[in-house]
Amino acid sequence: MVSEYSDADSGDTAPLALKILVAGGFGVGKTTLVGAVSEIRPLRTEELLSEAGRSVDHTGGVDQKVTTTVAMDFGRITIRSGLSLYLFGTPGQDRFWFLWDELAHGALGAVVMADTRRLADCFPAVDYFEHRSIPFVVAVNCFTGSRTYEAEDISHALDLDSGTPVVLCDARDRASGKEVLISLVEYAGRVHTARLLNSVG
């Protein structure tokens, strides 16, 4: 979750790196978000959709999508001096979920991408992180032409735990994506602090 080194003699503290997952359903904008915010050329493992996969890859609502992530996306962003986030985008289809446990190991938290046109597609990701007590925020990717909902309405529809943030965003926009990540870091920090206090209290 955290990579930090402090030199007792010099008092210097090495940069802090936090691991973040970007999850959600098929075609919701995970790869787009990682690519938009990454300050390095993102690593992508996309392959063309095949005829064999059409029976299991439900492309309703994303008919123009021609590629899919088959392992993970990876990017990095510096939030402020001394604080960087390593972003791991997960594949959205059920058949790739065996990768999630490996990707989630040591993560500070997760961003669950959502599309209001196919809101049910993010239920599995929400359930995954809730059951493993991994802090997450829901980032609603506001696609052109999609109906706009209030964050409270989306939270209610997803039956989120009280306090779980819902953020409206444009996954193509770097500033918008960065705000999502800042929201997650702040929320995860509060959750982990509260757990630490409870454990010593």
Side-chain angles (χ1 to χ4, degrees), residues 106-125:
L108 174 78
V111 173
V112 174
M113 300 290 295
D115 177 353
T116 57
R117 300 169 301 178
R118 299 175 294 123
L119 198 58
D121 289 0
C122 73
F123 282 147

Side-chain angles (χ1 to χ4, degrees), residues 68-81:
T68 184
T69 299
V70 296
M72 68 172 186
D73 300 310
F74 174 77
R76 186 190 72 210
I77 180 175
T78 300
I79 296 295
R80 58 172 170 76
S81 178

Side-chain angles (χ1 to χ4, degrees), residues 67-147:
T67 62
T68 184
T69 299
V70 296
M72 68 172 186
D73 300 310
F74 174 77
R76 186 190 72 210
I77 180 175
T78 300
I79 296 295
R80 58 172 170 76
S81 178
L83 175 59
S84 297
L85 304 182
Y86 291 156
L87 309 175
F88 292 82
T90 67
Q93 300 96 312
D94 296 6
R95 67 182 186 277
F96 294 125
W97 280 4
F98 66 92
L99 296 169
W100 282 40
D101 288 339
E102 286 296 324
L103 292 175
H105 182 71
L108 174 78
V111 173
V112 174
M113 300 290 295
D115 177 353
T116 57
R117 300 169 301 178
R118 299 175 294 123
L119 198 58
D121 289 0
C122 73
F123 282 147
V126 168
D127 289 343
Y128 181 91
F129 296 118
E130 283 185 343
H131 291 155
R132 289 160 180 79
S133 299
I134 297 174
F136 68 94
V137 302
V138 173
V140 181
N141 195 4
C142 298
F143 288 91
T144 302
S146 63
R147 182 177 173 184

